């Protein structure tokens, strides 16, 4: 039952929205350093993970990249858009995520990567003030300009294929509206320049799909998470996935909530607070952007715990998430969780978790993996929502007929069994 | 492919070694309260968990106990051994785990449960001083007395079947010796009264198996974890399982280590400390008993992280576990973990976890589940090591041809897929 | 230089605003239990602390209450106002701070203490909905009714003296206005029923002073912290003090900030978050009430660290305080602090503090101490702001010519040296 | 009453025992960088702190160093002994405390500072293996060699005065013996080469005092804390002080314990654990060295809390201190404290503190301050134990007639009032 997969021939362009941001620049620096042998791609499944094939006693544990036809790091070309015109070297210095020595190893390559002008509308990200932005009369024209950028980049860099990934800031919250329900309605709104319903992020997604490029959504915005885009992706036969990279606190949550549930321990409340001082923290200090993020972060627990099946354990959970802009920390995010759990006969216990993490260090390998897996999916002719990549997202996209899977370990089993199936190997149920 | 399972007819005797200890008494009080409708069996898979059957869209989520033929709580009869002669009501008061109100609901039943004299040897548990103990000239005679106890209990309580479970303190560490390598050598040593190699716990296990009763090992002692017992269990067609209930800190470890590994995050060091003030803490304050526990606790990470496959990520982990007797806390154990992890390009991060748990509250539902599952296994004709119950143990038992599985989520998938297979349902690989 | 102090003859009435709240009821229950010998007044300086007199080698360490003429617990009579009509027994049960056993020891006394109708205006505390409130045409009339209550209580209970203490919820924030600048302006506003500038709490303070009763302000509201009240207190020769009981997180702050400063360690940021689920938490969930509290909590660090003297150490501190209503915790407040400090040559360090405290348990002994000390001050003829009681407050009151002292240890030295001076003993400078 | 103080003329030699260790090298690098204007002496009272003179409203807050005649940083000359022959530049690189950039600013000065051969005996510090050590037939000869080193250093560097400070590892624990009770007994034991009672550290102390150099003891060893040395210091008119620099966890303890006590909050237990990976951690992994440290760390609480005065609050505290060698952390020590406190009516609360500190960063400014203050003391003719410097030590030295003061804030008041008195200013009792 092996799937037909086109080989990964030629160069693969990776276009990052928010090229100069902390996540993008960290991903680019690291990938270039890895391919020069200067750094290790820690955190990357595609580069490091092995996969068990066959029965356990067969002892076959090849690296994923040795049995799955992924694009080679040497074939990657980086580009993208940003609202500031710094090249990636300057941007990475500004981000203060990586130490100077790590930037200097790939300084020239980084300086050569300059952002294209961004599609931007300050009403959608109130705390940012871009200076390197497109002028466009309508959202339709905005998308057209992005499409042209993609074509230009592809030609200039002699790329065989392109993937577009959003690693920029969170836009303000809006609910799903009529304009998002069908491709026709969506295109109409773009042409009518409905700037209240059509976010710049949607123009990137539309342009990518139109150009046949897989689109990955790293922030919690609506963006490709709407029927209009699903329809368009199906029509153009393009993979899409998202949304919101699952990194620090939420990654932990999708590990700890399953622990409670497998052990049938009850939950009274879960309080999560974050402090971070990077651009992302500044954007989320705006209540409208925070709303988008909050919805994404809150959804996680319920789906995992299934209160409808276990009302006595999970029927009345008080779940609160706070994000605090706290400049002394820069990119070093800290997430503090307090979990009020309940055991045998109703006795209360507490679990406190303090995660002194680094936002961009956790997100960077996800960028690399997602780009390579999205490209793989396209070559394997898998279009539309890639639910097997739920592993990487806080709010895994799903259509109205499916429910999302948030449990990190089920997500991982799904990812690996999907790969096994792609290459004609048996899936694993852990019974041997 | 449904398995042939004998129905759960008649009464099931549950014999607890360490009947008056905090874990046993909490388990007994709770089970009696649950069956009277006075408490909820939170933490118990057998009583609360559902199991998905068929494809996800079939929407079949029955409770496990409704589709798997487990013994009914109303058919359980409790008994056991202890080195103090308190009945379970007095013992539970002394343990200070449960509040008075919870004891009073089942006071009479508890007062009726009195321990038989324990097989005890203070050289194996230096900090305890038992007053209600057997006199036996040899270990062989010690086992014979226990066998007689089991037969007597069964007859007196009109039990159809019996399960024996060790929920007593940790004995001192000894390595696997010649005396443990075969049943013949073991029986010889018992008869020669080799008190340095044959622990009291081994006499309980031998007696249980000899009487055809499944034996569950809740502490980290060698006990049934040796070829002699495997041979005996096979010969008598009896299920055995162990060892060391996986509750607070180690449960968390087997959740957090898989998180690191699925995400390919590196690990430099893991420091774990515990403070607890119950009898268990007092016993573990003795370095010899702690050694046994330490070996059990340290093994977990390596097996999960597979340093042999990932030397650059997990090749040099500094892992340290400390247990501190700290009386102010009584049974309210606190486990503090510091984890030094490594991300993209080698950047360090830290994760700190503080678990204010309750030792016996976490262990009690495991006692109930294991007893019911072990009885099920016996009726399903599954003898020897029950590796599908690894989910419940810090050091899952395994013979020399297998490696143990420590990942809590793989263990859980294995447990559920085993149940599915038992009742003739398809196993699940999460690809639908 | 011993001060002339009137003896503590007769009964002392203690009138609590918010009599049924968690803090008041816990204070009342405890004081009654202590005087019956059923509990220990832990946390109370007046009841437990000793005071060194003379040189260290004189070895004189009497209890404060044995050398300072405080009112005896047996002479206290409790009463007060509340917006609900529960007696103190019912109120304490509702508060869920103390266990049943502790209430039952003084049940009858508690049931006999019933609140008078409260002066209340929901515009000032939006989350509360009182049902047991006064009707008053103007603020002036409101105050008159309170004055009558005080006189009635005094007569009915045969009290020699009365102290009034606010232990009720935080009112919304308002700045100091013209109406608060002089007694004349204030009384005019009361008569004109300026409900936007005259809070109910101010009516209590006005009434107390008018009746010659010391007034203690336990919440951060403006209340007595204004020139109008200082003028009135001076005129009536009445002690006043406040404001905002210093209990959990802020108490810690006024200990840790001095540690940094004595050691000349720098500070980059201080992030404080609280979770609590009692009535106080609910009130503070309203942004207007939180504002009042926030101002009180934020002021602390600056005054201690003196950034004007140490700009390189404390010139740009990012200080943020959050309070989160989190019902699972009830009265068990948890405060989590992250402190980013700076050492030798600018190297950063972190200090994290997690305080699992109990709001009312910490505040109750402060109520008792303040009442006794305020009564002492009055008998010692010390009118106006009692800055020697700063020890007990988050925002120690001070007039425009003085700066407040926040350092807990300097406050304590001040308190004790004041007592020493009162009784004619030498003050201590720790040089012997 | 101003004291007669000799002016700080000429050069001041600072001889560090353990010159190449993390603490010494960090102190030297920092001091040199500060005097070149490359770094700030954060954490140093002598360099940064102000002192209030006169009444509060006089508003006089000069820097201490502007009113107290301390030696100028430009007059300091560094030298010392070490068991390895690395110069301070190499040693500092090896210590991994400071980043390369901070070393490079003073590289040449650092390379010029080379250690003299150390007086060493491995029986006293089992985990270290020195290669750059003196050969001496007896302890007396060992001391003679050190005296010669001091004289040579003074001559070679044209020093007017010298101070010797121990910043080396902790020696094993020994109790006070007859050999330490008088100078005569001590010198006899040195001559008889009693290597079991006379530690190398004592030879340094003896030599310093013999040469008229103040001696400061930074580790918890007995060393100068004995009648023999007090006698010798008095005879030679030399200041001595110690012992054990008070930095991370213990500094916090001497702040938090006073908080409990001023508030009359009870204490049930205090559990402290540390993880650190530097040379100090390695040495303390040896139980004998740990014993010395443990005694020093445990003494703190009792003296502050005065259980003899407050048996009901502090009569049965369970206090436990653990130090764990944990290489992943290097010099970045982490101290985790759990405090079980007790409030009103006996209700329990918990306080948890996690201090992610840096051992040498905290200790370095203490080295600088102590050296300057000890030199000041000598010029002010204050010989013997300097109890006004208790502020800096975990175990403040004291003779048999005095009790030590551990409360950080009382220590600080004492230090400042001593300085005020030295310069003829009034002491402060905080009553104005």
């Amino acid at each position: 039952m092996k799937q037909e997969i086109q080989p990964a021939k030629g160069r693969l362009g990776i276009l990052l929205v928010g090229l100069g941001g902390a996540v993008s620049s960290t991903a680019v620096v690291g990938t270039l350093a890895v391919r020069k042998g200067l750094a290790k791609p820690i955190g990357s499944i595609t580069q490091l993970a092995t996969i068990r094939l066959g029965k356990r006693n067969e002892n076959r544990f090849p690296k994923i990249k040795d049995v799955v036809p992924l694009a080679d790091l040497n074939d990657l070309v980086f580009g993208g858009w940003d609202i500031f015109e710094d090249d990636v070297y300057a941007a990475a210095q500004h981000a203060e995520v990586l130490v100077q020595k790590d930037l200097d190893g790939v300084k020239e390559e980084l300086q050569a990567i300059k952002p294209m002008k961004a599609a931007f509308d300050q009403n959608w990200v109130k705390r940012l003030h871009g200076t390197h932005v497109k002028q466009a009369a309508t959202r339709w024209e905005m998308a057209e300009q992005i499409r042209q950028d993609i074509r230009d980049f592809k030609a200039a860099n002699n790329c065989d294929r392109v993937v577009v990934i959003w690693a920029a800031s969170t836009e303000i919250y809006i609910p799903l509206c009529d304009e998002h329900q069908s491709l026709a309605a969506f295109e109409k709104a773009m042409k009518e320049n409905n700037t209240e319903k059509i976010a710049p992020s949607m123009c990137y997604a539309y342009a990518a799909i139109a150009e046949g490029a897989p689109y990955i959504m790293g922030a919690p915005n609506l963006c490709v998470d709407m029927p209009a885009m699903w329809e368009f992706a199906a029509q153009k036969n393009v993979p899409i996935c998202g949304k919101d990279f699952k990194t620090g606190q939420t990654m932990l949550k999708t590990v700890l909530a399953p622990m409670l549930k497998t052990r049938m321990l009850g939950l009274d409340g879960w309080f999560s607070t974050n402090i971070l001082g990077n651009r992302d923290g500044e954007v989320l200090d705006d209540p409208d952007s925070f709303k988008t993020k909050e919805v994404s972060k809150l959804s996680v627990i319920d789906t995992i715990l299934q209160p409808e099946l276990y009302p006595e354990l999970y029927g009345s959970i008080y779940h609160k998430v706070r994000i605090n802009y706290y400049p002394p920390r820069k990119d070093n995010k800290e997430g503090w969780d307090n979990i009020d759990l309940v055991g045998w006969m109703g006795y209360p216990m507490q679990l406190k978790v303090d995660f002194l993490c680094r936002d961009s260090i956790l997100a960077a390998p996800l960028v690399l993996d997602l780009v390579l897996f999205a490209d793989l999916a396209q070559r394997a002719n898998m279009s539309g929502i890639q639910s097997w990549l739920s592993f990487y997202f806080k709010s895994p996209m799903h259509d109205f007929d499916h429910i999302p899977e948030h449990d990190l370990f089920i997500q991982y089993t799904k990812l690996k069994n999907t790969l096994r199936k792609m290459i004609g190997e048996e899936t694993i149920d852990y019974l041997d």
Side-chain angles (χ1 to χ4, degrees), chain A:
Chain A
M1 291 272 297
K2 195 166 165 178
Q3 276 177 256
E4 199 67 46
I5 309 177
Q6 300 294 323
K9 284 191 316 194
R11 308 181 83 193
L12 174 63
I14 296 172
L15 291 173
L16 295 129
V17 188
L19 177 64
V23 171
S24 295
S25 60
T26 304
V28 173
V29 174
T31 306
L32 297 179
V34 166
R35 91 183 172 194
K36 264 184 134 168
L38 301 174
K40 285 183 193 156
I42 301 181
S44 163
I45 314 300
T46 57
Q47 303 309 305
L48 295 178
T50 60
I51 186 163
R52 197 236 288 185
L53 300 181
K55 298 287 167 203
R56 203 164 183 177
N57 54 15
E58 295 179 31
N59 216 16
R60 285 198 291 149
F61 295 97
K63 280 202 168 187
I64 285 174
K65 68 173 184 176
D66 293 337
V67 290
V68 174
L70 298 169
D72 190 280
L73 292 196
N74 291 308
D75 293 332
L76 305 188
V77 194
F78 290 99
W81 300 266
D82 203 86
I83 60 170
F84 302 109
E85 60 186 330
D86 287 344
D87 62 47
V88 178
Y89 181 76
Q93 279 187 311
H94 183 75
E96 292 187 86
V97 175
L98 302 170
V99 298
Q100 192 59 38
K101 189 173 63 71
D102 283 331
L103 302 183
D104 287 345
V106 289
K107 183 171 179 177
E108 279 170 41
E109 294 94 315
L110 293 174
Q111 285 177 329
I113 307 175
K114 295 182 188 355
M116 300 178 276
K117 282 191 178 171
F120 182 69
D121 177 347
Q122 208 197 323
N123 291 319
W124 287 82
V125 193
K126 291 176 188 157
R127 297 288 160 96
L128 295 186
H129 307 271
T131 55
H132 183 64
V133 302
K134 291 183 191 310
Q135 301 303 324
T138 62
R139 290 298 198 239
W140 179 262
E141 196 191 298
M142 189 180 260
E144 286 297 313
Q145 290 183 20
I146 299 170
R147 291 186 62 175
Q148 189 60 46
D149 287 345
I150 297 174
R151 287 190 297 260
D152 292 348
F153 181 87
K154 221 166 150 175
N157 292 281
N158 192 23
C159 289
D160 198 63
R161 305 172 319 281
V162 162
V163 174
V164 178
I165 181 164
W166 176 280
S169 295
T170 301
E171 294 175 331
I172 63 169
Y173 179 75
I174 58 159
L176 195 70
C177 306
D178 290 344
E179 288 79 359
H180 311 124
Q181 295 288 8
S182 72
L183 182 57
F186 185 82
E187 291 182 337
K188 182 160 172 285
M190 288 176 88
K191 286 173 184 164
E192 289 172 353
N193 199 31
N194 183 341
T195 57
E196 289 190 8
K197 298 296 162 58
I198 309 293
S201 69
M202 298 172 194
C203 298
Y204 282 104
Y206 182 90
I209 298 169
E211 294 300 317
Y215 185 84
I216 300 156
M217 185 57 201
N221 317 348
L222 206 51
C223 197
V224 279
D225 193 15
M226 58 172 74
M229 294 291 184
W230 307 340
E231 188 185 336
F232 197 30
Q235 180 186 307
K236 293 286 183 182
N237 204 26
V238 168
I240 54 177
C241 61
K243 58 192 194 186
D244 209 3
F245 297 137
K246 179 154 84 175
T247 51
Q249 196 173 54
T250 305
M251 177 178 73
L252 262 165
K253 233 172 226 179
T254 62
V255 163
L256 295 174
M259 176 187 83
L260 297 178
K261 195 182 149 205
T262 60
R263 281 294 176 102
M264 286 287 108
L265 294 166
L267 182 65
D268 268 356
W270 194 312
F271 175 76
S272 301
T273 196
N274 290 274
I275 51 180
L276 81 167
N278 60 12
R279 201 202 278 179
D280 199 25
E282 203 175 347
V283 167
L284 294 172
D285 212 34
D286 170 46
D288 291 328
S289 288
F290 174 66
K291 178 76 190 294
T292 316
K293 191 61 130 189
E294 189 184 25
V295 167
S296 178
K297 280 175 164 267
L298 284 175
S299 64
V300 163
I301 286 183
D302 268 13
T303 325
I304 291 175
L305 297 178
Q306 299 179 283
E308 68 287 358
L309 276 182
Y310 302 108
E312 74 277 49
L313 296 176
Y314 310 119
S316 67
I317 300 167
Y318 196 90
H319 185 197
K320 204 159 188 172
V321 177
R322 285 282 167 269
I323 297 180
N324 300 282
Y325 180 51
Y326 180 74
R329 276 304 161 80
K330 295 174 191 162
D331 193 64
N332 297 330
K333 196 196 300 204
E334 180 165 353
W336 185 77
D337 281 84
N338 170 71
I339 305 163
D340 283 284
L341 57 152
V342 182
W344 188 239
M345 303 179 74
Y347 281 74
M349 295 174 281
Q350 297 179 33
L351 179 61
K352 286 135 199 332
V353 182
D354 192 19
F355 193 6
L356 289 99
C357 61
R358 296 168 186 261
D359 210 27
S360 303
I361 292 294
L362 287 172
L366 275 57
V367 168
L368 178 59
D369 282 1
L370 282 164
V371 157
L372 295 182
F373 280 141
D375 171 55
L376 172 72
Q378 191 169 39
R379 286 183 284 107
N381 205 28
M382 296 156 71
S383 68
I385 299 171
Q386 305 294 309
S387 67
W388 66 291
L389 297 177
S390 297
F391 178 67
Y392 293 105
F393 296 108
K394 276 198 198 72
S395 303
M397 273 170 55
H398 54 99
D399 62 30
F400 300 137
D401 296 333
H402 292 85
I403 52 168
E405 180 56 64
H406 281 97
D407 178 323
L408 188 78
F409 300 103
I410 294 181
Q411 291 172 335
Y412 192 56
T413 300
K414 205 165 167 166
L415 189 158
K416 285 201 159 177
N417 274 341
T418 299
L419 292 175
R420 287 184 186 105
K421 215 174 134 190
M422 269 191 200
I423 61 173
E425 295 278 345
E426 261 179 64
T427 63
I428 284 182
D429 64 3
Y430 297 111
L431 271 198
D432 60 316

